[in-house]
Amino acid sequence: MSTFWIAVIGSSALAFTTKFLGASVPQSALGHPRALRINNLVPIALLTALVAVSTFADKSRLVLDNRALGISVAVVLLIAKAPFPLVVVGAALTSALAYRYF
Amino acid sequence: MSVKRDSFSVSLTVGAYGSAFGAAAVAANFSVLQTCLLSLLLFSGASQFAVVGVIAAGGTPISAIATSTLLGTRNGLYGLRLAPILKLHGWRRFLGAHLTIDESTGVALAQNKDDDMRRGFWYTGVGVFIFWNLFTLAGALGAQAIGDPAAWGLDAAVPAAFLGLLWPRLTDRKAWVLAGFAILLALSLTPLVPAGVPIISCALLAVIIGWRR
């Protein structure tokens, strides 16, 4: 089975398991404040790492390329409170132009 | 009905974002079928982008699954929170669990009456599911039709999508500090360890920073 299929099936199965467990465990499991705090921080840590790696990594090298320019525009758009789709399109458009002309 | 209107506008806006996912997944060499299955079966935006992001970075399926699952743990907590309101049994619990995501939970918890909460959950869950999957297919087919992903900026759409998901969570100083450390750790590990590992390692930072209040 290919890398892609393992990733698709494995992540889907675990995603459903997580959701179903949440809907099924007794309420007393609604936990410790520390666990809740960490749970709120995990997405921040992982999403930030994903932003950094998908912007600056090319396999195991760090690079500064058209993507960095795209993500800078995304940051500006987010600060300006632009809606979600505009942020993605703005970043993509900038990156595409940089890729074409530099 | 404001519950209906809220649900619909959330469903359409978030669903449209599915086209970015579809395009990003195909640009990362997932097939159109695999891309659509992720939206149908995994059905949690951040986790889906994580699978694609980790694999695109050259990570192993295990690190893709681990990152996506850690990102999805919040759905479990949403379920825990919603269970006493939804009171689901049998096949409805399966369906409800599958539709437990940021948006359905958010709209449900924004209502005042239990009845409105239940309607908000179902309308938004089903609405996002329909639009998210339709737009995923559209994005995937669109990306398949165009050639080089970089020429269309799809390589930058992925980090921008992650940033869009991250931004609303950066609400206090602790979040910003964590984000700063996560950038440093992820980038400094990138040349040293196999792809995918730098990302999942950052979960440790969340544990360290969340340990104290």
Side-chain angles (χ1 to χ4, degrees):
Chain A
M1 207 159 51
S2 80
T3 299
F4 293 94
W5 278 115
I6 297 170
V8 170
I9 295 168
S11 57
S12 298
L14 283 176
F16 183 77
T17 307
T18 308
K19 291 170 175 174
F20 192 74
L21 279 180
S24 306
V25 297
Q27 287 300 302
S28 56
L30 187 57
H32 197 276
R34 175 175 287 159
L36 289 176
R37 224 163 40 231
I38 292 173
N39 184 74
N40 282 332
L41 292 176
V42 164
I44 296 174
L46 293 179
L47 289 170
T48 309
L50 281 160
V51 172
V53 168
S54 55
T55 305
F56 298 110
D58 180 15
K59 302 279 182 268
S60 61
R61 280 184 328 127
L62 295 180
V63 294
L64 205 58
D65 60 17
N66 52 303
R67 292 172 295 170
L69 209 60
I71 220 59
S72 316
V73 169
V75 170
V76 172
L77 288 170
L78 282 166
I79 291 172
K81 301 193 192 307
F84 234 31
L86 188 64
V87 172
V88 176
V89 171
L93 210 62
T94 310
S95 175
L97 288 173
Y99 181 79
R100 199 154 300 180
Y101 295 109
F102 295 106
Chain B
M1 283 318 297
S2 92
V3 182
K4 250 184 196 158
R5 208 189 44 220
D6 285 359
S7 303
F8 184 77
S9 63
V10 167
S11 301
L12 189 60
T13 355
V14 174
Y17 204 51
S19 57
F21 170 74
V26 166
N29 289 322
F30 283 78
S31 69
V32 173
L33 175 64
Q34 288 163 337
T35 302
C36 290
L37 284 178
L38 277 172
S39 282
L40 284 166
L41 303 176
L42 202 166
F43 190 52
S44 187
S47 294
Q48 290 179 227
F49 271 109
V51 172
V52 168
V54 172
I55 296 291
T60 61
I62 299 296
S63 57
I65 293 169
T67 308
S68 131
T69 304
L70 270 180
L71 267 171
T73 51
R74 66 185 192 292
N75 292 327
L77 285 176
Y78 294 158
L80 205 55
R81 183 84 198 275
L82 291 168
I85 301 161
L86 297 174
K87 299 193 191 74
L88 301 174
H89 302 281
W91 65 273
R92 281 171 205 274
R93 185 183 285 177
F94 276 87
L95 191 62
H98 193 52
L99 299 179
T100 302
I101 52 170
D102 290 332
E103 293 77 20
S104 54
T105 309
V107 172
L109 295 181
Q111 310 303 321
N112 296 316
K113 290 180 296 197
D114 270 18
D115 211 34
D116 284 344
M117 286 173 132
R118 281 189 284 273
R119 286 191 303 157
F121 174 83
W122 288 109
Y123 289 156
T124 312
V126 171
V128 173
F129 187 80
I130 292 170
F131 285 119
W132 179 257
N133 280 289
L134 287 177
F135 278 107
T136 296
L137 177 63
L141 293 175
Q144 199 187 34
I146 66 182
D148 180 3
W152 295 82
L154 287 180
D155 52 350
V158 176
F162 285 127
L163 190 63
L165 294 167
L166 169 67
W167 201 258
R169 297 173 192 275
L170 295 174
T171 48
D172 57 8
R173 214 179 69 90
K174 190 187 258 184
W176 281 98
V177 170
L178 173 60
F181 279 116
I183 292 174
L184 285 178
L185 182 65
L187 292 183
S188 52
L189 285 178
T190 293
L192 307 174
V193 297
V197 179
I199 297 162
I200 193 108
S201 306
C202 289
L204 268 180
L205 291 174
V207 176
I208 295 168
I209 293 185
W211 200 261
R212 294 152 173 277
R213 61 168 53 254

